[in-house]
Amino acid sequence: MSNSAMRVRVRTAGLLTAAAALLVSVASPAEAAPVTLTSGHVDVLDVDYASGALTLDLRDETTGTAVDRAPADVTLNVPVAAKHTNVPSTAPWAFLGTGGTAWILPQSQTGGLLWAGWNTTDVPSGTFKDNKLTFSLTGVTGPAGFSIYTASGGSPTVLFDSGNGLPDTLAVNAGAHTHANWGFDAAGTYKATFSVSGVLASTGQTVSTGAKTYTFQVTNS
């Protein structure tokens, strides 16, 4: 083989290798690394509206710097420190189960636990009819019941409860930032699916974020 022919073959092989590498890089984009959040401020349901699109993600502020994350990339840890063994046995508290025990991420900030809530402050006022959005809990899988509620003066107001049938819906104002209690009736892995929708004030069209599933890991040790 002549030297010129060998140089052509080497050059051709090099080009083919480079092309193959480019195809691999295009076909296999880097994926966000999964994270587990254990304590600090987190807006589990973070809603934005921009360029005609309503979106739902998770805003992680556990380090003091806000980071928007895809719900699929996050596990929300509910440690044994969230366990309560003195849940009232009265009827208003029956949504937390009948065993007197529940794991609760509280509506007030507490060291060592996630301070979980939702945020619609990035939805411009007047965009949606009556300035309202509809939060929907459409599905829950897990070992027992899942609920979100507020409590004042020892009396709960249940906002979402997987134990009484789904879907559950809640009207939320644009521009809101709210924290609530997130309750789990037993240890284990829960997957809660939410969506957010609204009616555009300008056209009457209903727009939605689509379904997003959030993972909670509730531990007993």
Side-chain angles (χ1 to χ4, degrees):
M1 180 183 297
S2 68
N3 289 338
S4 60
M6 182 174 295
R7 284 195 297 270
V8 169
R9 174 174 289 184
V10 170
R11 181 176 297 174
T12 301
L15 290 173
L16 290 173
T17 301
L22 179 61
L23 287 173
V24 169
S25 66
V26 170
S28 304
E31 295 182 357
V35 297
T36 298
L37 305 180
T38 299
S39 65
H41 181 244
V42 58
D43 293 324
V44 178
L45 307 173
D46 178 48
V47 186
D48 300 289
Y49 183 81
S51 302
L54 189 66
T55 57
L56 177 61
D57 57 22
L58 180 148
R59 180 168 298 177
D60 171 13
E61 295 187 8
T62 59
T63 64
T65 300
V67 178
D68 288 343
R69 300 187 185 276
D73 296 334
V74 181
T75 298
L76 298 159
N77 188 41
V78 186
V80 69
K83 185 177 181 179
H84 293 253
T85 58
N86 57 349
V87 176
S89 58
T90 55
W93 294 93
F95 67 94
L96 283 177
T98 58
T101 298
W103 284 251
I104 301 168
L105 296 177
Q107 69 186 65
S108 298
Q109 190 166 15
T110 302
L113 298 176
L114 287 171
W115 189 29
W118 52 83
N119 192 329
T120 62
T121 58
D122 287 330
V123 177
S125 179
T127 300
F128 291 94
K129 183 180 178 180
D130 300 325
N131 217 35
K132 297 284 188 182
L133 295 164
T134 299
F135 282 34
S136 300
L137 175 63
T138 58
V140 174
T141 63
F146 164 77
S147 59
I148 302 176
Y149 66 98
T150 58
S152 178
S155 178
T157 298
V158 181
L159 307 178
F160 300 97
D161 178 15
S162 70
N164 64 359
L166 295 176
D168 281 352
T169 61
L170 177 69
V172 176
N173 287 331
H177 183 199
T178 303
H179 288 269
N181 301 287
W182 301 61
F184 307 85
D185 296 355
T189 301
Y190 294 75
K191 291 185 178 292
T193 300
F194 288 90
S195 64
V196 177
S197 62
V199 178
L200 291 172
S202 60
T203 65
Q205 177 188 4
T206 299
V207 295
S208 174
T209 62
K212 302 291 182 179
T213 298
Y214 296 79
T215 300
F216 299 84
Q217 185 63 51
V218 182
T219 60
N220 199 26
S221 60

